[in-house]
Structures are given as structure tokens and as C-alpha cells.
Amino acid sequence: MSSAVSPLAPTEVPDMPALAGVRLATAAAGIRYKNRTDVLLALLDPGTTVAGVFTKSKCPSAPVEWCRAKLKGGKARALVVNSGNANAFTGKTGKQSTALTASIAAKALGCKQDEIFLASTGVIGEPLDATKFDGVLEGLAGTAEAGDWMGAARAIMTTDTFPKVATATVKLGKAKVTINGMAKGAGMIAPDMATMLSFIFTDAPITAPALQALLKAGVEDTFNAVTIDGDTSTSDTLLAFATGAAAAKGATKISRISDPNAKAFVKAFNAVLADLAEQVARDGEGARKLVEIIVEGAKSKPSARKIAMSIANSPLVKTAIAGEDANWGRVVMAVGKAGEPADRDKLSISFNGIRVASKGARDPSYDEKEVSEAMKAQTIQIKVALGLGKGRDRVLTCDLTKEYVAINGDYRS
């Protein structure tokens, strides 16, 4: 975990309200870090439904496999998260560690192991000593209380420089419901959901199938539209929990997300996802600039996404931005290599609203001084117009600096 907060960190932190049916507690179990919390326990009231999306990596962590198997039940009583060790590429030992962690948590809560959900983040390939949770989780179960969302977000950080939280309140039927979320992630971030660890909680009454549909749809233009370095983690996990506690106050039950009564809730839920996803981009390892890439005029939205990601994942584009150089030639390169329909002579490129290239050449009105000044901003928008169709997409990334190399060069040290 870095000691210097990213210059792109949000200037305002939301006031995270307590959420009915959720209690939180953190502890320092000594998984890897010294003198800091590294375990989070979220206790969930009986009846809480759960949904999840996970990494598409062919080398998933043991906790990812555990959660995938337990989702079938659709119910959750607790979430246990540790930082410092990913429990990935740990063989039979990894599976035994997840089973032991779930057993310890289930005993402490008096529930079934199948209702315990797990996530781990940190170093890959190091065995996780789950015996360190023995006694710790029982203590946390006794002290957990509503409210400390910032403490919970800090406990799951690794190379993050600031805790990432977001909240929204919306009316559902006759009652207001709350959506709280937290995330961690700064490196090894690339779409294939979930590209980090993130956890969403709501007191809205939602069936597990509806929550799953909501989550799967919501990630596409939020977490799946963010990349830091093009590397998808073995541990990527996004879980959503709905306690249903607001039903007692008159909140309408959501059984399908296409229900007109759920429209405002779906919008608010997606807004929380989008907020957290942007915070991940803002905390990219070593980042000094947030980069928004918009591709329009593509043959289709999927085509626009591939081109946008080609630009966002290009080390040459990202280092140029770090050097405050509007090097549109590198953007042209990234468009051309994406393997999607593009016509050089119809292409136009803008940096922060200033068109630098059009119709296959440098723009006639190009002013080096004007563009150089614009590139000093903390937020850079690159817009590419292909002129081929109506496909449009947007992705977020950050620049690539020397600090990224420094952070990842000695990550295990």
C-alpha cells in the first residue's frame, strides 16, 4: 500500500450511511502487512440475497472458485475479505484454506458454510495461513456494527492509495433504499469482470436472479470499461448483497430488473458501480492523469469498445500522456492495430476538445502551444471519430509513469 495519496483522489468523500441488515468489523490478522487492518468481516441478516461476477482468468484464485460454487444457493450471511495474500495458484492448500476460513466464519456466526462468501487480494503463489482467522473472526462477529464503511474499505487495500466508497439513496415503492459500495484496485486492472475486488450492499428487497441480472448488466459500461495496465487478475470479484430490510418500510420487491418500478433503483445502482470504477482508474498505480477515451462513428458499440481499449492499453499512448505530449500518431497506431473497421482518411482525433488530426493528416488549425497547454490538465479526454457508423463507447484509464514500474518492480519485497 502506497504512503502517498494519488493526486487524482476524489476531493470529497461521501458520508456513508448505516445500511439495515449489514454490520462491519475489521482486524489486523498479520496476513502480510504489519500494523494495519487486513481482514474485513461483513455480517448479513438472514434472508440476504447475493449475486456475483468474477474474473475470466483461466487461473482463478481459490476464493473465486469458492464463491462461484456458493452463488447457486442465492443466500449469504457473511463476507470475509483479506488483503496481502491472493490465495491464488496455491493448489490443494488454497482450497483447504478457503474451506477452513468458511468453517471458522460459519461457526462464529452459527450459519452454514455455503452462506459464507470469501475474497482475497495480494501476492499470488504464496500459501494463505487460514489458521490466522481462528479467534479473529469470532471476535469480529461479536464487535461488528453498522457504519464504518471507510474502515472496511481500508482493510481491503493493497497498493491502493485511498479507500474507495460510494453511496446512493433512491425511493423504491413507499420507502427509500440505500446502496453502499466499496472497491479496491490500482494495478492488474483490465476488463473481464470484475477486474478488482468490489462489494455492493443494499437494503432493497431483490431476488437473487434479479440481482444477478442487474449486476451482470451493470458492469459492462462501468468496471468492464476500465483498464490500468491490461492485466486481468486471478482474483477479480464483484459481489452484491441485498438484505431486503427496507421491505418492512414499504419498499417494493424487485423480481425482474425490467419492472418499471425498478427503473430508478437500477439507475442508482449503476451510478454506484460507475463511481467506484472511476475511483479505481483515478488510483492507477503511479497515475498522475485520468484518461477518458471516447470512440464514436464506429460500425458498432463492440467495435468501438475494442478500439477504445486498444488505445487505453497502449503503453506508447499512456507514456505520451504522462509526458504531456498530444502524440496523435500513437493514437492512430492504436486504432489501426485494433483489428476493427477503420478508414485512415475519415479519422479525426481530439485531445481535450482540440482537434489535432483529421482526414488522414494533421489538422490545418493545429496549434502546438494550445495543445501542449491542454495536456497539462489532470484529466485528459481523447476523442476518436471514425466516420463509419453509429457505434460509440467510452472507457477510462490513466497514464503510465515511472512510479508504476517502481511499484511493480518490488511488489513482493
Side-chain angles (χ1 to χ4, degrees), residues 314-387:
S314 167
L316 289 176
V317 172
K318 292 159 74 72
T319 51
I321 294 170
E324 300 181 343
D325 178 13
N327 192 331
W328 69 87
R330 294 182 178 181
V331 177
V332 172
M333 172 278 298
V335 171
K337 75 171 185 175
E340 291 297 313
D343 185 332
R344 178 197 62 204
D345 296 332
K346 291 183 179 180
L347 188 66
S348 70
I349 301 168
S350 299
F351 286 84
N352 277 2
I354 303 171
R355 195 168 67 179
V356 297
S358 62
K359 298 179 180 179
R362 184 172 67 182
D363 194 84
S365 62
Y366 179 80
D367 184 328
E368 180 74 29
K369 184 177 180 180
E370 178 188 24
V371 178
S372 295
E373 188 63 30
M375 293 301 291
K376 294 179 181 179
Q378 281 193 334
T379 299
I380 303 296
Q381 182 193 81
I382 300 175
K383 181 177 284 187
V384 174
L386 297 172

Side-chain angles (χ1 to χ4, degrees), residues 184-206:
K184 68 81 51 185
M188 205 180 286
I189 304 293
D192 251 347
M193 208 47 230
T195 71
M196 72 288 298
L197 297 187
S198 186
F199 310 106
I200 312 297
F201 303 83
T202 181
D203 55 357
I206 315 175

Side-chain angles (χ1 to χ4, degrees), residues 216-252:
K216 186 176 180 180
V219 298
E220 286 308 312
D221 289 329
T222 57
F223 285 119
N224 271 359
V226 173
T227 179
I228 299 301
D229 45 25
D231 286 330
T232 298
S233 172
T234 59
S235 308
D236 298 341
T237 298
L238 171 57
L239 293 170
F241 304 94
T243 69
K249 298 180 180 180
T252 304

Side-chain angles (χ1 to χ4, degrees), residues 113-184:
Q113 289 189 40
D114 288 354
E115 297 174 315
I116 306 295
F117 285 79
L118 309 172
S120 299
T121 180
V123 173
I124 295 171
E126 295 289 337
L128 174 64
D129 182 4
T131 62
K132 291 186 175 181
F133 296 127
D134 200 6
V136 172
L137 293 181
E138 184 177 357
L140 293 179
T143 60
E145 57 186 13
D148 190 12
W149 294 92
M150 289 297 289
R154 287 192 185 94
I156 65 175
M157 291 165 59
T158 52
T159 59
D160 305 64
T161 70
F162 61 89
K164 301 165 183 65
V165 294
T167 186
T169 301
V170 65
K171 194 169 184 180
L172 180 62
K174 297 180 180 180
K176 286 185 177 181
V177 297
T178 299
I179 305 163
N180 284 353
M182 69 182 83
K184 68 81 51 185

Side-chain angles (χ1 to χ4, degrees), residues 54-55 59-70 86-99 118-120 128 234-235 237:
F54 308 92
T55 181
C59 300
S61 69
V64 165
E65 292 186 321
W66 174 274
C67 289
R68 279 177 174 156
K70 306 312 173 188
N87 194 12
F89 204 68
T90 46
K92 292 182 179 179
T93 300
K95 293 181 179 180
Q96 292 169 352
S97 293
T98 56
L118 309 172
S120 299
L128 174 64
T234 59
S235 308
T237 298

